[in-house]
C-alpha cells in the first residue's frame, strides 16, 4: 500500500471519528468526562468499521470532502434568503391559486458527491420543491412552479445561485 493511500485512509478515519464524536456530544447533551470518554471510545471503534463507507475512497481529493470555510459562511445567508423568498412565493401561489406542479429533470455541474447531496437537500428545504431522485449528477425534482420543461432552464431556475456557491465550497 502506498504512502498516499495510507495517509488518505488515516484522514478518512480521523474525519469519521471527529464526525461521530461531535454527533455524540450533540446528542448526549452533556460534557461530563465519563460520557465524553465513552463517546470517544465508541467513535474510535465505530469509525474503524464504517470509515470506508462514510468517505468513499474515490473522494480522495481533500476539497471534495472538507469544505472551504469562507465560502461556506456565505452559503448560509444565501440558503436562508432562498428559503424565505420561496416561502413568500409559495404563500402567494396558495392565495392566488397559481400553482403549476410538475416533475423536472436536470443535471448539476458539481463534481463532489457531498456538494450534490447538499444541493439536493437545499432544494428540498425550499418550499415548493422536493428532490425525488439524485443519481450521480442527475436530479429529479417535483416543482410547484413549472415554467418550462427545458431541463437546463428549469435547473437554472431551481438551483439559482446555490450551485454556484457550492462549487466554491467544494472545488
Amino acid at each position: 500500500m502506498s504512502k498516499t493511500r495510507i495517509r488518505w485512509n488515516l484522514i478518512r478515519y480521523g474525519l469519521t471519528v471527529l464526525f461521530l464524536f461531535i454527533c455524540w456530544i450533540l446528542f448526549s447533551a452533556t460534557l461530563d468526562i465519563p460520557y465524553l470518554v465513552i463517546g470517544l471510545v465508541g467513535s474510535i471503534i465505530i469509525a474503524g468499521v464504517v470509515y470506508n463507507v462514510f468517505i468513499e475512497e474515490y473522494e480522495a481529493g481533500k476539497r471534495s470532502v472538507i469544505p472551504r470555510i469562507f465560502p461556506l459562511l456565505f452559503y448560509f445567508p444565501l440558503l436562508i434568503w432562498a428559503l424565505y423568498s420561496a416561502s413568500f412565493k409559495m404563500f402567494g401561489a396558495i392565495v392566488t391559486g397559481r400553482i403549476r406542479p410538475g416533475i423536472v429533470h436536470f443535471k448539476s455541474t458539481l463534481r463532489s458527491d457531498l456538494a450534490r447531496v447538499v444541493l439536493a437537500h437545499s432544494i428540498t428545504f425550499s418550499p415548493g420543491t422536493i428532490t425525488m431522485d439524485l443519481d450521480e449528477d442527475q436530479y429529479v425534482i417535483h416543482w410547484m412552479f413549472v415554467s418550462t420543461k427545458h431541463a437546463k432552464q428549469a435547473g437554472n431556475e431551481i438551483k439559482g445561485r446555490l450551485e454556484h456557491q457550492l462549487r466554491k465550497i467544494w472545488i
Side-chain angles (χ1 to χ4, degrees), residues 73-135:
L73 294 176
F74 284 109
Y75 184 72
F76 292 119
L78 181 63
L79 179 61
I80 290 170
W81 172 257
L83 295 177
Y84 277 103
S85 63
S87 296
F88 287 121
K89 185 176 181 181
M90 191 68 193
F91 177 74
I94 291 170
V95 170
T96 62
R98 293 184 187 157
I99 297 175
R100 294 189 56 209
I103 307 293
V104 294
H105 304 258
F106 60 85
K107 282 185 164 188
S108 171
T109 58
L110 297 171
R111 293 179 287 182
S112 167
D113 285 348
L114 185 56
R116 290 179 190 145
V117 169
V118 170
L119 178 61
H121 285 297
S122 298
I123 289 170
T124 299
F125 286 156
S126 299
T129 54
I130 297 174
T131 303
M132 297 171 54
D133 189 31
L134 169 60
D135 185 19

Side-chain angles (χ1 to χ4, degrees), residues 106-108 119 123 154-163:
F106 60 85
K107 282 185 164 188
S108 171
L119 178 61
I123 289 170
N156 288 338
E157 287 183 41
I158 293 171
K159 297 181 289 189
R161 295 180 294 175
L162 297 175
E163 182 183 48

Side-chain angles (χ1 to χ4, degrees), residues 13-101:
Y13 176 75
L15 288 172
T16 306
V17 169
L18 180 65
F19 178 79
L20 291 172
F21 188 57
I22 289 172
C23 287
W24 173 266
I25 292 171
L26 292 173
F27 289 124
S28 68
T30 182
L31 294 176
D32 294 341
I33 298 298
Y35 289 103
L36 292 177
V37 170
I38 291 169
L40 183 60
V41 170
S43 298
I44 289 169
I45 293 169
I46 293 169
V49 176
V50 301
Y51 81 94
N52 281 326
V53 178
F54 188 70
I55 301 173
E56 298 285 342
E57 190 167 356
Y58 68 86
E59 290 271 356
K62 180 181 175 188
R63 292 289 185 213
S64 65
V65 177
I66 303 170
R68 295 174 64 213
I69 299 300
F70 193 65
L72 183 63
L73 294 176
F74 284 109
Y75 184 72
F76 292 119
L78 181 63
L79 179 61
I80 290 170
W81 172 257
L83 295 177
Y84 277 103
S85 63
S87 296
F88 287 121
K89 185 176 181 181
M90 191 68 193
F91 177 74
I94 291 170
V95 170
T96 62
R98 293 184 187 157
I99 297 175
R100 294 189 56 209

